[in-house]
């Protein structure tokens, strides 16, 4: 199933280990903090929890395992587009 | 300089790449969220920013580069003990 991967996202791993990955970079720490708080709210609102979020002072690496069912993949796609919007509007 | 590494922390890398590392695990997502919020406040209050924090639904991996100066190492030690207390009291 060829995924329509949104801009900025790449695929890591394959099969059950397959995940979508994007690195977000921030000119200031305050904007990173706002993004991470927004991400936490989005995860709680959607029930979609990234498998790993790695961040430092000016970046956040987000990895999401690609689920098997079509329905869950649609939820992943929704989460990702809302996360991208959060980043752009930040 | 043999470091008095607090319990639960280990050393990764060496020389300029040397860092202190600890994995914190949480029975519930809410406690992980409280820990991460507390960590962000502590980082802003102390000016000590971990190089990488990786978290998922029930864990947080914290890495801090060991600075060269004695003064900064003391600040690191203070940050680490306050982070450990944050975890224990969470």
């Amino acid at each position: 199933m060829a995924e329509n991967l949104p801009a900025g996202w790449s695929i890591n791993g394959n099969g059950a280990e397959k995940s979508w990955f994007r690195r977000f970079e921030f000119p200031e720490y305050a904007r990173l903090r706002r993004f991470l708080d927004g991400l936490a709210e989005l995860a709680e609102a959607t029930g979609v929890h990234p498998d790993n979020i790695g961040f430092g002072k000016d970046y956040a690496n987000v990895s999401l395992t690609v689920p098997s069912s079509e329905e869950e993949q649609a939820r992943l796609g929704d989460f990702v587009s809302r996360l991208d919007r959060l980043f752009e509007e930040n």
Side-chain angles (χ1 to χ4, degrees), chain A:
Chain A
M1 196 211 85
E3 277 127 313
N4 41 9
L5 215 55
W9 290 82
S10 56
I11 291 184
N12 280 356
N14 43 45
E17 296 301 316
K18 189 152 76 170
S19 61
W20 283 8
F21 172 82
R22 181 172 176 185
R23 180 183 180 88
F24 297 88
E25 296 192 348
F26 302 86
E28 304 129 38
Y29 179 68
R31 288 172 69 174
L32 166 62
R33 280 271 19 111
R34 262 202 313 270
F35 176 78
L36 290 171
D37 292 343
L39 190 155
E41 279 160 31
L42 189 57
E44 273 165 52
T46 59
V48 174
H49 288 278
D51 303 277
N52 184 273
I53 297 162
F55 67 94
K57 281 215 268 195
D58 54 11
Y59 71 89
N61 291 329
V62 178
S63 299
L64 295 135
T65 300
V66 180
S68 46
S69 81
E70 297 264 334
E71 193 214 331
E72 283 180 307
Q73 282 177 17
R75 277 176 68 204
L76 179 70
D78 170 57
F79 179 88
V80 158
S81 56
R82 289 168 71 178
L83 191 64
D84 287 343
R85 220 167 32 244
L86 189 71
F87 177 65
E88 275 126 31
E89 288 163 5
N90 185 358

